[in-house]
Structures are given as structure tokens and as C-alpha cells.
Amino acid sequence: MTGYKLGINGLGDVIGDIKGGTNILLIGPPMCGKNIILNNIMFQGLSDGEFAVFITTAESGENIINWFTENKKGVEDHMDQFGVIDCVSKTLGLNVGDTQTIKRVSSPVNLTGISVGITSFFEDFWMKKEIHKARMCIDSLSTMLMYSNIQTVFRFLHVHSRRIKTADAIGIYIVESGMHDEQTIVTVKQLFDGVLEIKNEEDNLFIRALGLSPKPTKWFGYEIDGAEVIVEV
Amino acid sequence: MIKTGIPKLDDYLNGGLPTGKSLLYYCQPGVEGDVFGMQTTYINLQQGYKSVCIATASSPDVIRGKFTEFGWPLEKFENQFEIIDAYSALIGADSSEKYVVEDPENIKNLDKVITEVIEDSSGKVIIHGSISNIIDMCGEDQALEYIENWNKYIMLYDVVGIYNFTVWPYSDKTVERIKDELFNAVIRIGGVSEHVIFGQYYSVTKADWTKAMIDSSILFKVLRPGGVKAFIPKLLVTGPFNAGKSSFVQSLSTRSVSVDRMGTTVALDIGHIDHKGFSADIFGTPGQERFDPILKLLGGEAMGVFLVIDSVKGNEFERARQMLEVTRTRGLPCVIVANKQDLPDALSIEEIKRQMEISKNIPIVPAVAKEKKGVFEAFEILIDQIMVGI
Ligand SMILES: Nc1nc2c(ncn2[C@@H]2O[C@H](COP(=O)(O)OP(=O)(O)OP(=O)(O)O)[C@@H](O)[C@H]2O)c(=O)[nH]1
Ligand SMILES: [Mg+2]
């Protein structure tokens, strides 16, 4: 089976295709466009005919989908490959049910519920729609860590990073740097094969990839322009 | 005695769960297990029981809403249903429940409320909550110590404990104690997987007051509304023309029919098997290529496949592999049945393995379908492949 395209121009060309079964940590400070980077990575999957499962603890499911419909032309054609697990709406007390694309989980504490949601999307896409390439993301582990302790989140990630391997899919997980102690970061990092690391130096943004190519890439400067990520090469 | 209200489970437990006992739904992550405890709760509300549900990961409103989703409205039972709210404080929300745990991460707080609820009850109460959430909040050792104590209370006051447990990778010691020691009954809820989990089943692994039917697996689906419903899985038998598929289905089945004309199958073979606590419907395809267009319909929803080959005909192995594509079953759990091993020039299993050029993980079982040899072995191996252990 062929690998996965990252979907970030410039950086993607340097690291080449990503192997199935790779779990990637996307870590960086606030306000550096991590979500837009993540969304672009997920959109690449949809365009390539993969299915995409988006777990959100930050925005309602509708907001996630709106971002794509407003910013990514042609995404309408891929809605039947797209699944969102919304851990936000019910926490806010909104009385909303599931839709074709969105499954609601009671709260980010409910890791059992999130797990059931993932399984059910994977079954649906893999068995019924016969799509055998997938990318899954969690935005963000930082929120999960606010509600549950590190051991609990670690156990959850342990199970699901392995499921990503078994399915030969890729997983992308967002962490806010600066929000957690060093020990927490070190602990979760063990579970990932690669890291996309972001830094902000005097309002200049840089990104690099570790563990996704034989050697770490250099730091690439980048800018966020609307919904696009522009990497300087 | 109370009923669990889960299909077949009360029969397997010889009637249900006696009062004063605890039952654990022991659930693989990703498999829908919460509904089991809810179903047991609701069935018993209807029998006049009271129920107290410990909310640890969802707000009380969301929990009530979930019952409604399954078609189990709680309005009628308002006086019988209470929630211990050990959730709102976690997210800093107010609570309007009768029982509120101020600091859920301190197990003493939770303990105080739970023991109080049990003491105040005059029997006929079901306590229902998630063990894994309590462990996650309070730590493994502490949580187990308290749970053990709650179970003593349950016995003393002759109430019933119904727990859910998601088997996250806790320490072996914790998992073993939960599985073997702490509860009177353990019902395992697992996933059927090959690359992804695509089916789910449950079985009794422990019931310490009766000689229960242990390890018989029931596949299930969760319906909204409706809850847990059992279903019979479908296994497909395919392979080249004249390989012995119909013979295989007949040998394996407790009852079967074939639609044959002049000794060849023109539609399909249908059988049903009950063997070692596992039942399945079996569908055999025709082997002639002219039927290929209809075969993909037969493969739909199959959970596993027997690929029957004629051990003499090495030149047909290519066609055999192709049958997995034609029936759209490649990637499902699969066993190769090397049939007609009684014939003098049958190839050995080693030789077949070499010539088949198929994934090494697919087991090959020698068989003589006509004489029922190897057919049950093949069935057991396929079931083992389908039911991955947890
Ligand atoms: N020697 C021997 N003959 C067998 C065995 N199993 C089946 N046969 C014979 O093989 C022939 C074909 O058997 P079937 O069971 O009808 O084969 P099939 O795969 O259903 O055939 P089609 O539906 O026409 O593709 C029959 O004459 C059987 O008696 C076996 O284990 N050994
Ligand atoms: Mg036949």
C-alpha cells in the first residue's frame, strides 16, 4: 500500500510519503495556526480518497465542518468519507443529536465514549464503504489532559495509537506546548513515531518534522494566509 | 433474583442475578458496553426496582437523554431513578441532583455518598456505575479497595451492583483482580476485529453462585431505540468449481439445504450450525465462473470465510484466491480448507501453502468434507480468528 501525503506544501516534499501506521504529535505554542495546519493535513486525506475521523474537544462538530466547507473547495464531494466526534456540544448542555457526519460524546472525560465513536466510524468506512486508508486526529490532547490525569490519557492513547497501527492508518494529535509540565510531554511523546514541532521566535513561525524522515528536517519558516499554510522553501 | 434483560444472558446465568450480588460488564475499549448496564437498569425499573446511577463522565441530563435514545424514557420512573452526580464538580458546573459528590477525585467523598445510599435503601435497589472512570479519577489501588467494600455493602443490604468496566491497559494486577476476584459475575464484551473492529459479542466468564454457561459467545448489535440485540453471524464458504463446498456446508451444518442441479450448485448452500456454544449461519457459493456476478451479494455482511480447495488441483489455486475478490471477502478472517485429502495424489499442506502464495497468517486445515473430517476443526479455527481475545 502506498503511503500518506502530509498535505503541507514544502514540508511534505521534504519528508515524502508517510508510512501507514504512523502516529504524529503536532506540538506548538498557542496562536501559531496549529488548527489550520491540522485541517490541511486532514483535507489532504479526503482529497486522496481516504476517510478522515476528526475528534474535537475544542469546537462543535458543526464548526469543524463549516471550516472545511467555507475554506476548502470540493469538500462537499467527500462528506461521506468524513466523520467528526464532537466532545464539546454536550458538555455545553446543547441538546443536539448525532448526524450523518457527527457523533456526539458526552464530554472529553468520557474516553470510553470517544473510543466507541472511533470504532464505529472505522467500521462504517472500512467495512461498509470499503475505504482502507484513513487518517484520524485529536484536537486536542491538551483539553483531554485538563479533564483527566496523564495516566488515564496515556492508557487511552496507548490503545488508539495501536489501533492506528493495526489499520495502517495515520494519527495526528495536537498538544499545546507550554501548557503541560515537561514530564507530561515526555510521557505522551513515547507513544508517537513522529513529531511536527512548531516554534514562534519574535513573531516568526517555524515548523520542522522529526522522526518522519531519516533525519530531522531543518526549521522551515511559514505563514498562515487565510486557510492556507505557506512554507518558505 | 433480577433479570439482566440482555438476550440469552439470563438463560446462561440460569435465571438471572440473585440479589446481594455484583455483576460486571467487562468491556474492550471501543466496543459499545455502556448500554448493557443501562438495559439491565431499565428492565428492573419496570419490575419496580429503584436504581441509583453513578455519573462519572457525563452530566446527569446527558445520562437521562441516553436512556431516552434507547427508547427507555425515565419520566414514568422518576420516583425510582436517582443519579449520584460525581461529574458536575469535575467541570465546575452546578448540580441539581439529590446526591452530589463535592470532590469526585477524592474517593472518600464518593464512598460516603454510595454507602449512605445503600444504607438508606430498603432492598430492591440497583447501583450502577463505571469502575474504570472511578479508577481513572482515584487511582487503581484506592479504587479497588473501596469497590471491594461497596460489594460487601451490596451483600449486607441485599441490593444489586451492576458495573461497567472498560479494559484500558491498567496494571495486570488490577485487571486480574477485577476479572477474577472482585465481582460475583463477569460478562465479557469484546470486539471482532481484522484491521478494524467490525462486530461485537458477549459471553459469561464468571458466575460464582451457579453453574453458568461459560464462554458461549453471542454476537450483538446495538439499536437506537432497542438496545442490545443478539444476531446470528454469517460465514461464507467459497472456492473453485467442484472443490467440495456443498459437501463442506452439509457436513458442518446441523441442518442445511442446497440448491443444486445435476450435482453442481446453481444458487447457494444454506446451513446453520450450533457448535461449542457458538451458532452461525453458513452460506456456500457456487463455484462456476458464470455465477461470479451474483457472488458479491453473498459476501456482504459475512464475518468470516472458508476457502475450500481441492487438494489435488494445484492449477485451481489461482481461481481460489480470485474467489476471495469476487465475493468481496478478502481481508475478512479466513481459513483455507484443503479438501479431498483422502485422494492418493492430494498435495500436502506444506506444498499447498507454498503454491497458494497467500498470506502466511491464513491457516490451512486438511479436510475430507465427505467424511466430516477436519470440518469442525476449520470452524473452531475460524471462530477463534473472529473472536479476538481481550
Ligand atoms: N474424495 C473426496 N471427494 C469429495 C470430498 N468432498 C466432496 N467430494 C466430492 O466432490 C464432488 C463435488 O462436491 P460438491 O460438494 O458438490 O462441490 P462444490 O464445491 O459444491 O461444487 P460446485 O457447487 O459445483 O462448485 C462430489 O462428487 C463430492 O462427492 C472429499 O473430501 N473427498
Ligand atoms: Mg456446490
Side-chain angles (χ1 to χ4, degrees):
Chain A
M1 194 178 292
T2 52
Y4 291 83
K5 290 203 169 47
L6 181 65
I8 306 292
N9 283 334
L11 188 57
D13 309 330
V14 175
I15 59 175
D17 278 6
I18 300 167
K19 275 208 313 274
T22 304
N23 288 286
I24 304 166
L25 180 68
L26 172 55
I27 183 167
M31 311 294 290
C32 62
K34 281 194 297 299
N35 287 91
I36 293 175
I37 293 175
L38 177 69
N39 291 353
N40 276 282
I41 296 175
M42 296 307 278
F43 182 68
Q44 181 70 43
L46 292 172
S47 316
D48 290 346
E50 302 160 13
F51 71 87
V53 176
F54 198 122
I55 300 157
T56 170
T57 61
E59 300 265 3
S60 71
E62 279 76 4
N63 279 357
I64 299 292
I65 290 172
N66 286 345
W67 188 93
F68 284 92
T69 44
E70 280 162 21
N71 292 297
K72 292 290 175 187
K73 270 212 197 71
V75 77
E76 310 78 50
D77 301 337
H78 299 298
M79 274 304 156
D80 58 349
Q81 301 150 240
F82 196 17
V84 181
I85 298 176
D86 170 357
C87 312
V88 176
S89 297
K90 293 228 170 179
T91 315
L92 298 176
L94 300 176
N95 184 17
V96 282
D98 291 357
T99 70
Q100 287 283 15
T101 322
I102 306 172
K103 291 187 198 299
R104 323 270 177 189
V105 171
S106 61
S107 76
V109 190
N110 188 359
L111 301 177
T112 296
I114 296 174
S115 191
V116 170
I118 297 172
T119 304
S120 133
F121 274 130
F122 270 66
E123 175 187 0
D124 190 44
F125 291 128
W126 192 288
M127 301 305 295
K128 296 210 185 85
K129 298 188 180 152
E130 298 189 40
I131 309 174
H132 295 170
K133 282 184 85 177
R135 51 187 85 190
M136 180 186 92
C137 70
I138 300 185
D139 176 18
S140 70
L141 295 187
S142 294
T143 334
M144 285 189 175
L145 284 162
M146 274 167 56
Y147 289 101
S148 301
N149 56 45
I150 173 72
Q151 292 87 341
T152 302
V153 175
F154 186 86
R155 285 189 288 257
F156 167 84
L157 286 175
H158 185 81
V159 168
H160 284 285
S161 57
R162 284 196 14 204
R163 297 241 168 108
I164 289 290
K165 288 217 179 315
T166 321
D168 239 348
I170 62 172
I172 303 109
Y173 310 79
I174 289 196
V175 166
E176 300 282 342
S177 52
M179 230 181 97
H180 312 283
D181 57 43
E182 193 53 33
Q183 190 52 47
T184 301
I185 302 288
V186 171
T187 307
V188 295
K189 261 193 186 165
Q190 299 171 45
L191 291 166
F192 301 107
D193 313 286
V195 181
L196 289 171
E197 191 177 2
I198 291 167
K199 68 177 178 183
N200 183 343
E201 276 177 357
E202 293 159 4
D203 281 343
N204 292 312
L205 297 171
F206 298 90
I207 186 166
R208 68 168 174 176
L210 302 107
L212 297 176
S213 42
K215 280 190 294 183
T217 68
K218 68 175 180 110
W219 285 102
F220 289 93
Y222 74 92
E223 276 173 21
I224 301 290
D225 180 14
E228 302 305 319
V229 185
I230 300 170
V231 176
E232 296 152 15
V233 276
Chain B
M1 188 87 108
I2 69 152
K3 299 268 180 227
T4 62
I6 306 296
K8 280 196 173 179
L9 193 54
D10 294 307
D11 295 340
Y12 286 7
L13 294 172
N14 298 318
L17 181 71
T19 53
K21 307 249 179 247
S22 56
L23 177 143
L24 180 72
Y25 290 116
Y26 177 92
C27 185
Q28 183 182 354
V31 177
E32 198 159 1
D34 285 358
V35 56
F36 282 74
M38 294 169 65
Q39 189 154 333
T40 301
T41 298
Y42 195 76
I43 291 281
N44 289 287
L45 287 174
Q46 290 174 319
Q47 300 301 316
Y49 266 78
K50 287 192 175 163
S51 169
V52 182
C53 174
I54 310 166
T56 38
S58 310
S59 73
D61 286 348
V62 169
I63 290 180
R64 290 193 174 86
K66 256 191 122 177
F67 275 92
T68 311
E69 250 177 59
F70 286 117
W72 305 323
L74 292 171
E75 287 81 12
K76 283 188 280 185
F77 303 110
E78 245 165 56
N79 300 326
Q80 290 163 251
F81 185 82
E82 299 283 357
I83 286 180
I84 297 177
D85 186 351
Y87 171 78
S88 296
L90 282 182
I91 60 156
D94 292 333
S95 177
S96 51
E97 297 303 316
K98 181 164 148 199
Y99 303 112
V100 182
V101 180
E102 305 286 341
D103 175 10
E105 282 165 331
N106 180 344
I107 195 153
K108 291 203 178 99
N109 280 294
L110 182 58
D111 179 58
K112 189 159 160 284
V113 181
I114 290 182
T115 48
E116 212 175 274
V117 166
I118 297 177
E119 281 166 359
D120 288 354
S121 72
S122 43
K124 289 208 102 180
V125 171
I126 292 177
I127 311 285
H128 169 220
S130 160
I131 298 295
S132 32
N133 289 343
I134 296 170
I135 294 178
D136 291 347
M137 284 191 299
C138 310
E140 301 185 24
D141 293 341
Q142 264 220 328
L144 294 198
E145 189 185 312
Y146 278 85
I147 290 162
E148 194 167 19
N149 197 42
W150 297 337
N151 286 344
K152 284 192 193 128
Y153 263 73
I154 285 172
M155 192 177 71
L156 276 172
Y157 287 85
D158 204 28
V159 299
V160 174
I162 301 288
Y163 300 105
N164 272 72
F165 175 65
T166 305
V167 194
W168 296 112
Y170 299 105
S171 74
D172 291 349
K173 189 168 126 252
T174 296
V175 173
E176 266 159 40
R177 278 194 75 200
I178 288 176
K179 198 167 54 162
D180 303 333
E181 289 171 27
L182 290 178
F183 305 92
N184 299 109
V186 176
I187 312 302
R188 184 168 72 139
I189 305 171
V192 179
S193 75
E194 182 78 28
H195 304 293
V196 299
I197 294 178
F198 68 97
Q200 28 200 16
Y201 67 94
Y202 52 90
S203 61
V204 180
T205 64
K206 172 184 175 182
D208 64 8
W209 68 92
T210 183
K211 223 170 156 283
M213 181 104 119
I214 301 283
D215 289 339
S216 285
S217 301
I218 303 158
L219 286 151
F220 71 97
K221 289 202 186 302
V222 176
L223 305 184
R224 293 181 167 72
V228 179
K229 298 281 178 211
F231 85 99
I232 309 280
K234 183 169 151 184
L235 303 177
L236 198 74
V237 179
T238 191
F241 171 63
N242 211 41
K245 300 176 293 298
S246 300
S247 311
F248 180 80
V249 173
Q250 276 153 25
S251 293
L252 194 56
S253 300
T254 337
R255 46 179 199 273
S256 69
V257 276
S258 299
V259 185
D260 274 19
R261 193 165 298 150
M262 320 265 286
T264 185
T265 305
V266 291
L268 72 169
D269 313 304
I270 303 174
H272 181 84
I273 175 172
D274 282 296
H275 179 70
K276 294 203 174 163
F278 195 92
S279 29
D281 287 333
I282 303 172
F283 291 78
T285 71
Q288 293 186 43
E289 282 177 45
R290 64 191 170 102
F291 295 109
D292 283 6
I294 61 163
L295 294 192
K296 64 172 184 288
L297 305 171
L298 293 174
E301 289 186 12
M303 297 208 99
V305 49
F306 298 100
L307 184 58
V308 181
I309 56 172
D310 183 332
S311 301
V312 177
K313 298 194 176 145
N315 58 330
E316 285 180 355
F317 292 174
E318 172 65 35
R319 167 69 180 157
R321 273 203 308 274
Q322 189 197 5
M323 295 293 284
L324 293 179
E325 304 291 340
V326 173
T327 55
R328 305 267 194 100
T329 51
R330 199 175 61 85
L332 285 183
C334 175
V335 168
I336 295 172
V337 179
N339 194 31
K340 307 197 187 180
Q341 282 286 322
D342 57 323
L343 294 180
D345 36 4
L347 297 169
S348 70
I349 298 302
E350 288 314 309
E351 189 55 26
I352 293 171
K353 198 171 277 178
R354 205 180 58 77
Q355 290 192 21
M356 277 292 280
E357 291 172 359
I358 206 157
S359 160
K360 285 190 195 58
N361 302 327
I362 301 185
I364 306 187
V365 183
V368 185
K370 258 189 349 189
E371 296 165 20
K372 292 194 184 230
K373 282 194 189 143
V375 297
F376 293 103
E377 286 81 351
F379 178 75
E380 284 165 27
I381 291 172
L382 186 59
I383 294 307
D384 276 354
Q385 287 215 329
I386 292 177
M387 303 288 173
V388 228
I390 52 170

